[in-house]
Amino acid sequence: MKINQFAHLAADAETKARELNQIGFLNCDAQHNDDLNHIWIQFILACLPHLKTPAAKKAYLSDLLATSTLDVVEFKQSQTVDLKTFYLVALQLLDFEADVDFDINDPLASMDKLGLYHAQQLDDRTDLINALYDLLCTHTKHGQTLLDRLAALGYFTKFYDLPAIKKPLFFNGKAQPIFDTNKLIREVVYVESDLDTDHDGKLDLLKVEIIRPKDTEHGLKVPVLYTASPYNQGTNDVLGEKMLHPVTEKLTHKTPTTTSYADIKFEAKTPNLPAKREVAGRSTRAEETFDRELSYTLNDYFLARGFGVVYAAGIGTRDSEGFRTCGSQAETSSTTAVIEWLTGNRRAFTNRSENIEIKAWWCNKKVAMTGKSYLGTLATAAATTGIEGLETIISEAAISSWYDYYRDGGLVVSPDGYVGEDADVLAQECFSRRKDLAQYQKIAAKWQTQLDSITAGQDRQTGNYNRFWDERNYLNNVANIKCDVVLVHGLNDWNVKPRNVFNLYQALQELPIKTKLILHQGKHIYINNFQSLDFTDMTNLWLSHKLYGIDNQATTVLPDVLIQDNVKPDTWKTYPTWQATTTSKLWLTQAGQLADTPDTGSLSFNDQLTPKAFADYQADLDLWKNDLVSSEASPLEQARLKFQTAPLEQPLLISGAPKLSVKVACSADHGLLSFMLVDLGKAKRLNNTPTVLEPKGILAGYNWRENDLVEFTLGKDTPFKLISKGHINLQNRTELWRNDELLADKFYQLEVTLQPTHYQLPAGRRLGLIVYATDMFGTLRGNEDISYTLDLADCNLELPYFNN
């Protein structure tokens, strides 16, 4: 176990004493008392808010070991606290276990091994006060700071009744949970958009769910964490599943074209909109409430700390108006309309019929957007408008271009795990407005027309980039971004693939904003509940600065690029950038090697499988992947080419987007190539799905919500691990929007950029490259009798890498 903390701020002694006093851990007596034991014991007693009597607290002290033979009560009678005793007790307060996590005879070495900060000396009152302050900021075994853990035991309840003018409260640069979550106000408003997506002659109204502290009723104005979630009001999973597109279809020849980007570039048109509603009255009170939102646990955490939270599902969702459009500019406008209302630049109403206007009078006009996947995608979309009041986004596992989600290299490629899904399917799944049955009956025909339009626009016939996808490419508008950005993504996320965050991160480097990038070893997940990383603390530091203006140096203290190591568990490292500038080139050889020098000759494979094998692999995708990579008499031996390095003499750290240059001939007038970069060698590797260490171990506040404590752990020995992959339609060799000619049996040179990665291969492992055609996890599965031949003299792999 190792704890990595990046949000623990250094502070001077005067600041530490003042802040300890503010939160009640250091009274005036202790602050000027030279009796170190008195200060120390008073601190320990303050760490026991759940114990209500002196007898209960004394019993607790007797259970704390101060030396190998004395408990705290015995120790203080004859000895004075020193560095070793302080941290032996500290480890117990932090809930680490003796002989499991630490050595009672050497607590300082144990702190170092665990990655926990400790003082170097404890000689006087100032040293002790400094150590107490830093201990409150140190993570417990439960993945939270000691202070957050004490908050869950009720420490801050005595602050609930502070007057609003004295709230919020900050400690070590971060907001503290002094807000009573049992008195949160829940209300609903309806924001009027500048859209009429259902063409009913009225501007679409958008349902917005609000949760804010009771203190806003007494003058406190709070910032907002806004999560735009199309799933928030329910989904149509059964209908979406019925719409899934067949994937056992053959690739077809595309008529060659000379299409240029200008031909397919999206140009927004000014819509002819209905008039705005006439305001019939005004109110400061909402008319609706709700019982339980579809929440994000990071938002829950901040509700106890003086932030409002807003959820909105957007156009075409239940209790809102309009249609889903899956990533279009209308969805972006639907998202930003809520921000405009929060900042006083748009109208909302208390209900959908009477036009009674209500303002966000409780908001300080500062907004951050949070969320993963579609939620993070809409945060990215909103940021590209440059909207006023959006101070930052924390965009997790988000799409930056919808083409890179549903397509790759001129091919229809399903997101991993969602075979047959496309933009129209997702639109249907998120169109929860149909659950309002009376409304839906009136608009069913129009909705079908809308779905048909999406189906036509997404163009599954060619897989090309077109005007439909260009409208849904947020990278086109990156230059408009004015807010600072936090990007979080899984390096093993094959749903929203790493290219989405890589391309956005690279583009943001050209802007005069602050960008933070965090890459983890997981799939499509949140990371605010991991034991090894203080992500929630980092976010608290960031949002306290961005939304409350706290001068905590968050933009410089937090690392610009933070990446989880894939070899050592619990290890996070900082880097100056993602894309390494040093590259090496490896050549594909007839002997199946990745070598330092070119080779001559050619190698071929055929994409067609027997009917039984084809059926078996469609039913078991993992079996297909294992057989594709396997070296031992693989049933797919004739359906792929495999190349590998010799065992590495030194570790290799690949960082960025690998590139392939390939010269290929195809036996038909249509075809595709797929590539898989793999780590070969039997070894225990990190699971890319986290292990639950403690169910409901993360506590967001006192009698408030919980989250499982998790961590990536080493799994069983495996023979290989996927590093990266990529695909290309052989008729999209030059551009994604243009069809190149493809003549059978003629060689063509092409370049393919694989999905970006950050991956370390230890010494002794081999780097492998699999070249194949049909990818059962993503591409169409035509099972055609097509052969592919590589001219090896012109086939190489370029790897970006960092020197270890």
Side-chain angles (χ1 to χ4, degrees):
M1 182 196 315
K2 186 177 180 182
I3 310 298
N4 300 266
Q5 287 190 247
F6 297 93
H8 182 174
L9 297 184
D12 57 44
E14 181 181 350
T15 299
K16 289 180 177 180
R18 183 181 69 253
E19 291 190 5
L20 283 169
N21 179 265
Q22 286 176 339
I23 65 170
F25 270 94
L26 189 66
N27 58 33
C28 291
D29 170 58
Q31 197 166 349
H32 299 93
N33 195 323
D34 288 326
D35 183 347
L36 300 190
N37 278 357
H38 175 76
I39 300 172
W40 179 49
I41 295 299
Q42 290 304 308
F43 174 86
I44 296 175
L45 293 175
C47 290
L48 311 175
H50 56 303
L51 303 181
K52 303 304 181 183
T53 67
K57 293 187 178 185
K58 183 178 179 180
Y60 186 93
L61 291 179
S62 298
D63 288 336
L64 290 173
L65 194 67
T67 71
S68 59
T69 59
L70 298 176
D71 65 42
V72 167
V73 174
E74 296 166 335
F75 175 88
K76 72 183 180 67
Q77 293 173 355
S78 60
Q79 300 184 45
T80 300
V81 62
D82 59 10
L83 196 65
K84 182 177 179 180
T85 298
F86 179 88
Y87 282 108
L88 177 55
V89 173
L91 283 164
Q92 296 166 76
L93 291 174
L94 296 170
D95 286 329
F96 292 100
E97 296 182 49
D99 302 325
V100 175
D101 305 316
F102 68 90
D103 179 355
I104 62 174
N105 295 307
D106 198 351
L108 296 178
S110 298
M111 297 280 285
D112 291 334
K113 186 176 181 180
L114 288 166
L116 303 176
Y117 171 84
H118 64 79
Q120 299 299 319
Q121 63 183 37
L122 208 164
D123 298 331
D124 56 26
R125 181 180 65 232
T126 299
D127 290 344
L128 179 56
I129 291 173
N130 287 344
L132 297 173
Y133 180 95
D134 289 319
L135 180 57
L136 287 175
C137 301
T138 300
H139 264 225
T140 71
K141 189 173 182 176
H142 307 290
Q144 293 178 288
T145 64
L146 176 57
L147 190 54
D148 274 354
R149 201 68 182 177
L150 298 181
L153 293 175
Y155 180 81
F156 284 106
T157 56
K158 58 192 173 186
F159 292 83
Y160 284 177
D161 293 329
L162 281 178
I165 195 171
K166 292 188 176 182
K167 294 181 176 181
L169 176 65
F170 298 88
F171 184 84
N172 198 237
K174 297 176 277 289
Q176 297 304 310
I178 65 170
F179 294 84
D180 189 350
T181 49
N182 290 313
K183 295 182 179 179
L184 292 170
I185 296 170
R186 288 174 166 80
E187 54 193 7
V188 173
V189 302
Y190 294 90
V191 171
E192 184 182 53
S193 70
D194 286 335
L195 302 163
D196 181 18
T197 54
D198 55 10
H199 312 295
D200 66 352
K202 298 182 295 183
L203 294 175
D204 297 338
L205 289 178
L206 309 171
K207 180 182 182 181
V208 178
E209 294 179 340
I210 301 156
I211 314 172
R212 56 183 173 90
K214 179 71 172 178
D215 306 78
T216 53
E217 296 288 300
H218 304 289
L220 178 65
K221 292 186 182 296
V222 297
V224 167
L225 304 188
Y226 166 33
T227 300
S229 172
Y231 313 122
N232 185 258
Q233 298 298 316
T235 53
N236 304 310
D237 296 342
V238 173
L239 294 175
E241 187 172 351
K242 289 180 178 179
M243 274 188 64
L244 290 174
H245 296 274
V247 294
T248 54
E249 296 191 345
K250 300 183 187 304
L251 202 65
T252 58
H253 179 74
K254 297 190 280 192
T255 302
T257 64
T258 58
T259 307
S260 67
Y261 175 67
D263 296 327
I264 57 93
K265 177 179 171 58
F266 174 76
E267 298 287 352
K269 298 178 181 179
T270 303
N272 184 17
L273 292 172
K276 293 184 180 296
R277 290 167 174 81
E278 294 289 336
V279 174
R282 290 177 174 82
S283 176
T284 58
R285 299 293 162 199
E287 299 179 21
E288 295 182 25
T289 186
F290 55 97
D291 55 355
R292 182 65 165 89
E293 74 287 1
L294 189 64
S295 66
Y296 172 22
T297 53
L298 186 70
N299 293 348
D300 294 340
Y301 174 88
F302 282 100
L303 278 168
R305 289 160 173 79
F307 296 75
V309 171
V310 161
Y311 294 96
I315 48 175
T317 58
R318 191 167 198 179
D319 297 332
S320 293
E321 297 172 348
F323 289 150
R324 297 306 299 168
T325 60
C326 197
S328 75
Q329 287 198 351
E331 279 192 1
T332 302
S333 177
S334 167
T335 304
T336 57
V338 177
I339 300 173
E340 289 170 331
W341 175 69
L342 290 167
T343 56
N345 298 314
R346 182 170 291 277
R347 296 189 315 200
F349 302 102
T350 59
N351 59 51
R352 289 183 287 174
S353 61
E354 293 183 310
N355 297 350
I356 306 300
E357 185 180 4
I358 185 169
K359 296 183 180 296
W361 49 267
W362 46 267
C363 179
N364 73 354
K365 299 186 178 182
K366 291 183 180 293
V367 180
M369 291 191 70
T370 62
K372 168 180 72 75
S373 196
Y374 208 155
L375 291 60
T377 299
L378 291 174
T380 300
T384 62
T385 68
I387 186 171
E388 178 185 349
L390 182 59
E391 302 297 323
T392 188
I393 63 170
I394 302 172
S395 180
E396 305 185 53
I399 296 166
S400 61
S401 169
W402 284 86
Y403 185 86
D404 290 335
Y405 184 64
Y406 284 124
R407 304 287 183 269
D408 191 10
L411 295 165
V412 172
V413 177
S414 303
D416 198 8
Y418 296 90
V419 175
E421 189 187 293
D422 216 321
D424 54 354
V425 178
L426 186 58
Q428 178 74 295
E429 288 178 341
C430 294
F431 183 59
S432 57
R433 190 183 176 191
R434 71 174 294 134
K435 296 178 186 295
D436 295 318
L437 194 56
Q439 277 198 46
Y440 176 65
Q441 294 302 317
K442 299 173 185 177
I443 58 172
K446 289 183 181 179
W447 170 239
Q448 187 58 53
T449 299
Q450 169 75 3
L451 266 186
D452 292 344
S453 174
I454 295 175
T455 301
Q458 68 195 13
D459 181 18
R460 289 181 67 86
Q461 283 67 47
T462 72
N464 284 2
Y465 186 89
N466 58 17
R467 189 171 287 108
F468 176 92
W469 298 114
D470 198 51
E471 179 184 1
R472 291 160 173 79
N473 187 350
Y474 308 123
L475 298 171
N476 292 337
N477 300 310
V478 165
N480 297 329
I481 295 179
K482 297 176 182 177
C483 67
D484 292 342
V485 174
V486 178
L487 301 172
V488 183
H489 214 98
L491 290 164
N492 291 290
D493 188 346
W494 299 107
N495 180 351
V496 179
K497 301 177 185 70
R499 180 174 294 141
N500 282 276
V501 68
F502 179 82
N503 288 343
L504 179 56
Y505 169 75
Q506 294 291 91
L508 290 174
Q509 302 313 295
E510 306 300 319
L511 302 183
I513 63 170
K514 292 290 184 181
T515 302
K516 305 294 181 181
L517 173 68
I518 302 175
L519 300 174
H520 58 83
Q521 292 298 327
K523 294 184 178 180
H524 198 60
I525 61 171
Y526 283 118
I527 63 166
N528 60 305
N529 58 336
F530 275 73
Q531 185 183 62
S532 66
L533 181 67
D534 63 337
F535 177 77
T536 298
D537 301 343
M538 294 167 69
T539 304
N540 193 339
L541 194 74
W542 183 259
L543 294 178
S544 292
H545 170 62
K546 296 303 302 179
L547 300 185
Y548 268 117
I550 300 301
D551 184 14
N552 57 18
Q553 293 83 52
T555 58
T556 55
V557 168
L558 299 178
D560 290 336
V561 178
L562 180 62
I563 306 179
Q564 186 185 15
D565 190 85
N566 65 285
V567 176
K568 297 179 181 179
D570 312 324
T571 303
W572 297 77
K573 298 179 180 178
T574 62
Y575 294 87
T577 188
W578 184 357
Q579 176 72 35
T581 55
T582 304
T583 60
S584 66
K585 190 171 286 188
L586 297 172
W587 296 83
L588 283 58
T589 73
Q590 284 201 75
Q593 298 173 334
L594 290 173
D596 293 331
T597 57
D599 197 6
T600 58
S602 62
L603 289 174
S604 301
F605 68 93
N606 187 279
D607 191 40
Q608 192 169 48
L609 305 176
T610 65
K612 183 180 185 307
F614 186 60
D616 288 346
Y617 287 139
Q618 289 188 90
D620 190 340
L621 299 183
D622 287 332
L623 174 65
W624 169 82
K625 183 168 68 173
N626 290 335
D627 285 351
L628 185 75
V629 180
S630 174
S631 300
E632 300 178 1
S634 170
L636 292 173
E637 188 68 37
Q638 304 305 313
R640 57 111 208 245
L641 298 175
K642 182 176 180 180
F643 304 90
Q644 58 187 337
T645 64
L648 299 177
E649 295 181 2
Q650 300 292 331
L652 172 63
L653 180 55
I654 305 168
S655 192
K659 296 181 180 179
L660 275 161
S661 180
V662 176
K663 192 170 185 179
V664 62
C666 170
S667 65
D669 64 357
H670 58 279
L672 74 155
L673 283 182
S674 297
F675 307 92
M676 193 179 289
L677 201 62
V678 290
D679 165 11
L680 297 171
K682 190 174 182 179
K684 296 184 187 302
R685 297 175 171 88
L686 282 182
N687 295 315
N688 50 28
T689 299
T691 300
V692 176
L693 304 180
E694 185 180 356
K696 299 184 178 180
I698 297 282
L699 307 174
Y702 180 61
N703 288 338
W704 187 222
R705 291 176 179 166
E706 307 141 331
N707 202 358
D708 293 339
L709 178 68
V710 303
E711 191 55 61
F712 295 115
T713 56
L714 290 172
K716 298 178 180 178
D717 283 346
T718 55
F720 72 92
K721 173 69 181 289
L722 173 65
I723 300 174
S724 180
K725 64 196 307 187
H727 313 88
I728 188 169
N729 188 313
L730 299 185
Q731 289 196 259
N732 292 94
R733 299 186 302 277
T734 53
E735 301 291 355
L736 295 174
W737 49 81
R738 184 166 67 235
N739 303 333
D740 300 318
E741 181 58 274
L742 185 72
L743 300 177
D745 301 320
K746 180 178 179 179
F747 279 95
Y748 295 93
Q749 191 75 38
L750 54 89
E751 311 290 329
V752 183
T753 300
L754 303 185
Q755 292 289 336
T757 187
H758 181 95
Y759 194 92
Q760 177 164 256
L761 285 96
R765 301 269 185 88
R766 297 173 185 263
L767 177 66
L769 174 68
I770 314 299
V771 182
Y772 58 110
T774 297
D775 189 321
M776 289 289 181
F777 276 91
T779 67
L780 297 180
R781 306 164 180 171
N783 201 31
E784 292 189 77
D785 182 13
I786 300 178
S787 294
Y788 298 86
T789 302
L790 300 187
D791 182 347
L792 298 175
D794 291 303
C795 294
N796 61 73
L797 169 67
E798 183 177 283
L799 294 174
Y801 69 93
F802 284 127
N803 290 311
N804 285 283

